[in-house]
Amino acid sequence: MKKIYLIGIGPGSPDYLTVRAINTMKEVDVFFFLEKERGKNEDLIKIREEILMRYLSEGTYRVVTAKIPERKKGGKTYEAYKERVETWRQKKAEIITELIKTEMKDRETGAFLVWGDPALYDGHLEILEHIAKEGVVNFEYEVIPGITSIQILTAKHKIPLNRIGESIMITTGRKLKEYSTGEVTNAIVLLDSCSVFKRFQDTNIDIYWGSYLGDEDEILISGKLKDVIDDIKKLKNEAKKKKGWIMDTYLLRQPEETNE
Ligand SMILES: C[S@@+](CC[C@H](N)C(=O)[O-])C[C@H]1O[C@@H](n2cnc3c(N)ncnc32)[C@H](O)[C@@H]1O
């Protein structure tokens, strides 16, 4: 039977791969790279190439690159967003099915190098589950966990993810819009292209922000949101212009003494 690995590669630098990920990569016959149309994720492909060059011997594996369609923009409601993601995932599933069918021989091992950890805001697991259920192609799959952007954020800011006895919410910019200040004690926010933290700028909340975490261009800012918000907005704009893309993650945390 064919076997697919989803290998978590950490968020941005070949230094954050686990020993388990490296050893698994050594068993892989073919790595699948999914490239966005119009070459939008060139840097992210480059990091994957660097990983293969650093940890594997040349000539011991193949790389197959496939183009994936852009996700359509559209209606702003959650339902419209969910539908767009599902349509896009369906297209991705068709492409991956074809790759497994045509680019792997029986008993071969294939892999996707997944940004950060495959269980955190990443669609590969659900797509593989869907393909396996459809039964068009026969394969088994396994997940190799990776270090998440959240772990690099807390490590670099030297903060615990949880304070004693408190809970933590992990959410997206889109969902953060639904929460009032009182409902946010500790919130980790990913996928926030609209800087939704702006809606908390008149409160006493603290922010621990990081972009390009783990990369040489990493930027870290922390403090009272109202004091550092202009710096974050400015650096975010400048960095995005310079590199053409940005990924940022942050923790919003109520100060312990007030818990407002
Ligand atoms: C589709 S999610 C994937 C998360 C990934 N699976 C992980 O474990 O970190 C992409 C979001 O993760 C966060 N992210 C991923 N890599 C990052 C990095 N190097 N620096 C800052 N944030 C990052 C950003 O919020 C980005 O919008």
Side-chain angles (χ1 to χ4, degrees):
M1 177 148 14
K2 298 177 185 181
K3 176 149 189 178
I4 299 288
Y5 282 108
L6 292 183
I7 304 177
I9 57 167
S13 151
D15 290 347
Y16 286 110
L17 253 80
T18 65
V19 174
R20 185 71 184 258
I22 296 167
N23 287 339
T24 304
M25 278 170 28
K26 290 181 180 159
E27 292 172 25
V28 171
D29 299 296
V30 52
F31 291 92
F32 297 116
F33 286 4
L34 300 179
E35 207 173 44
K36 280 192 186 150
E37 278 170 1
R38 288 187 262 148
K40 266 193 177 168
N41 56 343
E42 272 167 26
D43 283 356
L44 309 191
I45 295 278
K46 244 189 248 161
I47 289 170
R48 288 171 169 86
E49 286 167 351
E50 252 176 75
I51 287 173
L52 297 186
M53 279 193 287
R54 185 178 315 177
Y55 295 110
L56 303 182
S57 315
E58 228 183 298
T60 59
Y61 60 89
R62 315 191 292 280
V63 173
V64 173
T65 307
K67 291 251 182 268
I68 49 160
E70 298 271 331
R71 206 166 74 201
K72 287 214 170 69
K73 296 201 162 84
K76 289 205 161 130
T77 62
Y78 179 64
E79 285 67 33
Y81 167 75
K82 218 172 155 219
E83 201 184 310
R84 280 202 310 279
V85 172
E86 269 161 22
T87 312
W88 180 66
R89 281 191 179 174
Q90 178 60 40
K91 284 192 189 138
K92 236 173 135 175
E94 285 161 18
I95 292 165
I96 292 175
T97 305
E98 214 38 42
L99 290 174
I100 301 173
K101 251 177 138 175
T102 58
E103 299 289 346
M104 290 173 70
K105 297 189 201 87
D106 195 26
R107 281 197 272 255
E108 274 200 329
T109 304
F112 292 88
L113 300 181
V114 180
W115 201 256
D117 178 69
L120 185 70
Y121 290 118
D122 185 273
H124 284 90
L125 252 173
E126 280 163 300
I127 290 174
L128 284 193
E129 192 190 1
H130 170 81
I131 299 173
K133 264 196 201 135
E134 282 206 322
V136 182
V137 55
N138 205 14
F139 67 101
E140 55 181 354
Y141 60 100
E142 190 175 329
V143 180
I144 308 297
I147 293 177
T148 68
S149 45
I150 300 175
Q151 287 159 294
I152 309 287
L153 180 81
T154 52
K156 291 301 178 83
H157 281 291
K158 301 184 193 150
I159 50 167
L161 184 55
N162 65 296
R163 288 183 303 200
I164 297 172
E166 289 183 353
S167 51
I168 308 145
M169 168 168 80
I170 298 177
T171 190
T172 63
R174 181 177 286 273
K175 293 296 279 181
L176 184 68
K177 288 184 191 151
E178 296 168 12
Y179 291 91
S180 65
T181 321
E183 289 172 310
V184 175
T185 307
N186 300 287
I188 288 275
V189 186
L190 285 87
L191 292 161
D192 182 8
S193 55
C194 300
S195 304
V196 176
F197 52 77
K198 284 186 271 193
R199 54 191 301 268
F200 299 92
Q201 63 185 330
D202 296 326
T203 73
N204 201 29
I205 211 158
D206 295 319
I207 188 166
Y208 297 86
W209 180 84
S211 68
Y212 312 111
L213 290 160
D215 186 85
E216 56 193 22
D217 296 324
E218 181 177 86
I219 313 171
L220 298 169
I221 295 182
S222 64
K224 287 261 160 268
L225 177 62
K226 54 184 162 212
D227 298 336
V228 296
I229 188 163
D230 289 340
D231 291 343
I232 296 177
K233 285 198 283 191
K234 186 168 162 269
L235 285 172
K236 214 175 150 167
N237 282 336
E238 285 173 1
K240 195 171 171 196
K241 264 191 210 143
K242 196 169 145 213
K243 265 177 104 87
W245 60 276
I246 187 161
M247 279 201 215
D248 63 329
T249 300
Y250 56 92
L251 168 67
L252 289 176
R253 173 165 277 171
Q254 294 290 355
E256 222 156 5
E257 63 284 3
T258 57
N259 250 7
E260 66 177 17

